[in-house]
Amino acid sequence: MTSDGVHPAPDHRSAYPAPDHRSAYPAPDHPDEGEVVTYERRGPIAIVTMNRPQYRNAQNSVMTYALDAAFARAVEDAEVKAIVLAGNGKHFSAGHDIGTPGRDHRVSYDNKAVLWWDHVDREGGDQRFARESEVYLGMCRRWREIPKPTIAAVQGACIAGALMLAWSCDLIVAAEDAFFSDPVVRMGIPGVEYFAHPWMLGPRRAKEVLFTGERFSAAQAYDWGMVNRVVPREDLRTHALELAEKISDMPQFGLALTKRAVNQCEDLMGMRAGMDAVFGLHHFAHAHNAEVGADSLGGMTAKSMKASAEAGNANQKGGK
């Protein structure tokens, strides 16, 4: 029995290590981290868990493709009615990997989300556009279209690229200690690639979150309509599973059609077209940074981004 009182189903448990890949560049600094994503079946529920807790579940390409494989497995399993996405450890995810030893942005994988050429033998904007079209925007759009209800169970940090993961899910259950932010404007870039901010937060909240780069709490996210439920940290998994079980009582095909109906209405409200437009601005910002500064990220690193965010959060608490 697990700590949340639920009996696991060990026969359905497996792990997703780094998938096979083809690389045009050697990656000697890419460590073998083993199970970067785990998969578990509990009755009609698939639990997909990010498993890089030592790096706050920062998402490198290894994790991205392991997540995709796990989601595909859940889709193909006719007995799975709902999917819970979770993060192992203190934090859900610190976002895209821009600074761990396992950063693998120059490693090539077979495209799953877009039909575009590979990025590793390209240069400049061509390389960035090819990679981010696939690994960032493309993958999140692919996961948004999963024909089974998905629930993000979020604790601790949910930053930048982690917002993209949570927003790709249909529902979000957040622990009371969860906090959210998109600090990418600190790089001179107008938000993350899956630019759902105006639809998830509303235009004015979206501008405030982006303009300031400040964190917002689970309680604020609930008040703004971004989060479905806020629960004590120790009860997060239990509440997410209970919600998934309730959803699983509904007819599977009816759930799939209902999800598509709501997604189509969001797109008719401009979400997909808006993302396409902002993705161009995002890459224009990358190119501008590379032209006038040190690199496409505006000289920012994981360490400097964290320091800036912590300083901003301290000022926020101090009322400055």
Side-chain angles (χ1 to χ4, degrees):
M1 181 176 289
T2 61
S3 60
D4 55 20
V6 178
H7 289 278
D11 291 342
H12 297 290
R13 187 178 179 88
S14 64
Y16 283 83
D20 293 336
H21 61 78
R22 48 190 172 82
S23 176
Y25 293 88
D29 58 342
H30 183 215
D32 180 5
E33 297 179 15
E35 303 173 3
V36 294
V37 170
T38 63
Y39 182 99
E40 183 179 353
R41 257 276 309 278
R42 297 194 187 185
I45 303 165
I47 305 170
V48 177
T49 305
M50 294 176 283
N51 192 36
R52 298 183 79 208
Q54 70 274 37
Y55 301 121
R56 301 198 301 169
N57 293 319
Q59 304 159 41
N60 54 9
S61 293
V62 170
M63 177 180 281
T64 297
Y65 285 92
L67 282 170
D68 189 69
F71 289 141
R73 178 177 177 177
V75 170
E76 292 298 326
D77 187 342
E79 295 184 15
V80 169
K81 301 287 290 293
I83 303 166
V84 172
L85 173 63
N88 186 22
K90 184 177 179 180
H91 300 287
F92 178 71
S93 173
H96 295 145
D97 187 347
I98 62 172
T100 81
R103 187 183 184 204
D104 54 359
H105 61 296
R106 298 182 75 187
V107 177
S108 173
Y109 295 85
D110 290 327
N111 285 355
K112 297 285 187 181
V114 299
L115 187 60
W116 199 270
W117 49 74
D118 188 42
H119 70 282
V120 296
D121 59 351
R122 304 286 171 154
E123 297 181 353
D126 189 347
Q127 181 189 73
R128 288 188 297 273
F129 187 86
R131 180 171 187 271
E132 294 189 4
S133 294
E134 161 73 7
V135 180
Y136 295 159
L137 179 60
M139 278 295 191
C140 285
R141 281 179 164 175
R142 173 175 164 87
W143 299 336
R144 177 178 176 253
E145 298 302 320
I146 290 171
K148 297 181 179 181
T150 54
I151 301 170
V154 178
Q155 81 282 4
C158 182
I159 309 297
L163 277 176
M164 294 168 50
L165 279 184
W167 287 345
S168 296
C169 293
D170 301 303
L171 306 175
I172 301 174
V173 178
E176 291 171 339
D177 69 347
F179 59 91
F180 308 85
S181 76
D182 183 358
V184 175
V185 178
R186 296 184 189 280
M187 298 178 175
I189 298 170
V192 291
E193 295 82 359
Y194 185 81
F195 194 84
H197 309 62
W199 294 270
M200 299 297 109
L201 300 168
R204 295 198 185 280
R205 293 297 186 189
K207 289 178 181 178
E208 179 181 350
V209 165
L210 289 164
F211 289 174
T212 66
E214 291 178 346
R215 298 174 178 178
F216 56 101
S217 67
Q220 288 173 299
Y222 178 81
D223 186 52
W224 300 345
M226 191 193 97
V227 162
N228 295 85
R229 300 182 183 184
V230 179
V231 300
R233 172 67 182 87
E234 61 272 17
D235 298 330
L236 176 62
R237 181 65 64 93
T238 300
H239 279 272
L241 289 173
E242 286 177 351
L243 182 56
E245 287 171 358
K246 185 176 293 187
I247 290 169
S248 297
D249 289 335
M250 304 294 273
Q252 187 175 79
F253 190 53
L255 288 169
L257 294 179
T258 301
K259 176 168 180 171
R260 175 160 289 195
V262 176
N263 283 0
Q264 287 177 340
C265 288
E266 278 187 317
D267 289 339
L268 287 170
M269 288 186 268
M271 191 164 94
R272 187 176 184 89
M275 283 186 187
D276 285 337
V278 177
F279 194 62
L281 297 176
H282 182 100
H283 279 275
F284 178 63
H286 273 313
H288 176 74
N289 285 343
E291 185 174 351
V292 304
D295 56 39
S296 64
L297 300 181
M300 298 295 285
T301 65
K303 185 176 181 179
S304 63
M305 288 287 286
K306 182 180 179 182
S308 296
E310 289 176 347
N313 189 54
N315 289 339
Q316 180 186 22
K317 288 181 177 178
K320 297 178 182 178

